[in-house]
Amino acid sequence: MRNAEYSGKRVLTYLAWTFGLAYLIQFGAAKVYERSMIVGQLTLAAMMFVPALGVILSGAGLKGMGWKPRIRGNVKPILTAWFAPVLLTAAGAALYFLLYPEHFDLSGEYMAATGGAEALRQMEAQGVSYPLYVLIGVIGCVTYAPLLNTIPALGEEIGWRGFLYPALEAKFGRRKGWLLGGVIWGAWHWPLIWLIGYEYGAAAGNSVGYIGFLVTGMLLFCVVTVGLGILHARLYEAGGSIWVPALLHGAFNAAATLPLALCLPDTGSARLLGPAPNGILAGLPFLVVGAVLLIRGEKKRGTSDGSTD
């Protein structure tokens, strides 16, 4: 990991590039989404590399982020990054469905609402029942999906945990740096929440909307990214390699939408609670872990490779 340092000019340059390019892409993706959800999703996947590009354009460079995977001696951080997201997501979804058991659904209404009823019919015509489809998704979340998602997630982690978080920690201290970094990370997604209902609205199968749209979704997402950001930052320190938070990020992205596949669409303001971990209730396991790490403020850091890895 790079030595913590702060350059106001470099941080502002990074934020200008990262937000400017990402916001342009998000406005474009919103238009594409209207014609093709798949193309829109691919566009958003490409956007995940913008923070890495922002680091390069700011002149910060990519050295010292811990490019060696460090598998030996790093088993605990790697296993945590791989499996903690699906376990915490499952715990949060269970909390949500205990409160809203009537929202639990295995008929595929969510898939019909987001992917089209024809997609559901074609899947069933091929002998794949909806419960089997969900089970396949769960198996993917604990096997190959985290690895596949690690590469696009790396694009974000280079920018957030590799550059911005250490810089903010150097300026504001560890705890304030983590909190501010999480808010910035969440705000980076705001146009999507506004334009296509990303996470809480139409794009997440909730076309009826929610209370306080769109401000509520924007603010709530920042709360969630603060908690997630703390977990990412702590594992980055523990592992000493940028690949560890990238794996965690990839595993979270793989698991986060699974609870929605088990939920009725159009649940209105209940979507602010869950069942996906971006809801305040379903996200409680992540928020509790983040709060514990924040309060403890441990100073243990991963061993550095130096400035040339």
Side-chain angles (χ1 to χ4, degrees):
M1 292 172 58
R2 71 168 73 216
N3 294 326
E5 58 181 20
Y6 180 83
S7 166
K9 180 179 179 181
R10 183 162 287 170
V11 168
L12 289 176
T13 302
Y14 164 79
L15 292 176
W17 279 112
T18 302
F19 272 74
L21 291 174
Y23 275 25
L24 284 174
I25 292 173
Q26 289 177 63
F27 276 93
K31 294 294 184 182
V32 174
Y33 234 91
E34 297 173 359
R35 300 179 179 86
S36 172
M37 184 177 67
I38 294 178
V39 176
Q41 290 173 340
L42 290 174
T43 303
L44 297 181
M47 186 189 73
M48 296 179 73
F49 292 96
V50 167
L53 182 60
V55 172
I56 296 171
L57 294 174
S58 72
L62 303 178
K63 292 183 178 180
M65 291 189 181
W67 287 102
K68 295 179 181 179
R70 297 180 181 274
I71 297 175
R72 179 178 296 179
N74 245 352
V75 174
K76 184 176 179 180
I78 291 173
L79 291 178
T80 301
W82 198 314
F83 294 106
V86 70
L87 294 175
L88 294 175
T89 296
L95 287 174
Y96 177 85
F97 287 123
L98 281 174
L99 184 62
Y100 293 100
E102 69 276 12
H103 290 175
F104 186 80
D105 176 68
L106 276 176
S107 70
E109 286 194 36
Y110 172 78
M111 183 177 185
T114 56
E118 182 59 30
L120 180 61
R121 285 193 293 269
Q122 289 181 1
M123 182 184 73
E124 292 177 341
Q126 294 173 2
V128 179
S129 66
Y130 192 73
L132 178 58
Y133 166 79
V134 173
L135 178 60
I136 292 172
V138 172
I139 293 173
C141 282
V142 296
T143 54
Y144 63 87
L147 289 175
L148 291 180
N149 290 347
T150 292
I151 298 303
L154 180 66
E156 284 199 40
E157 291 308 308
I158 289 171
W160 305 129
R161 259 58 66 177
F163 169 72
L164 184 63
Y165 272 54
L168 294 178
E169 288 180 49
K171 175 65 176 178
F172 301 105
R174 197 166 189 229
R175 294 178 180 176
K176 291 181 181 178
W178 280 355
L179 292 172
L180 181 57
V183 172
I184 292 172
W185 186 24
W188 188 69
H189 299 82
W190 278 357
L192 291 176
I193 296 173
W194 167 33
L195 295 169
I196 64 172
Y198 181 69
E199 301 290 5
Y200 306 103
N206 188 34
S207 60
V208 299
Y210 53 87
I211 188 171
F213 175 83
L214 49 91
V215 174
T216 309
M218 289 178 171
L219 296 179
L220 177 56
F221 195 67
C222 286
V223 173
V224 174
T225 50
V226 165
L228 284 174
I230 292 171
L231 182 55
H232 280 74
R234 183 65 192 96
L235 276 180
Y236 184 28
E237 293 178 354
S241 170
I242 195 65
W243 292 101
V244 175
L247 177 62
L248 175 67
H249 196 149
F252 177 82
N253 286 351
T257 58
L258 271 179
L260 292 176
L262 298 171
C263 188
L264 292 172
D266 293 333
T267 55
S269 296
R271 183 56 55 82
L272 298 173
L273 298 178
N278 56 2
I280 196 66
L281 178 62
L284 268 181
F286 288 96
L287 295 177
V288 169
V289 170
V292 169
L293 293 175
L294 185 68
I295 293 170
R296 290 174 64 182
E298 295 175 345
K299 294 297 182 182
K300 296 178 182 178
R301 296 177 181 271
T303 304
S304 175
D305 270 342
S307 61
T308 58
D309 59 350

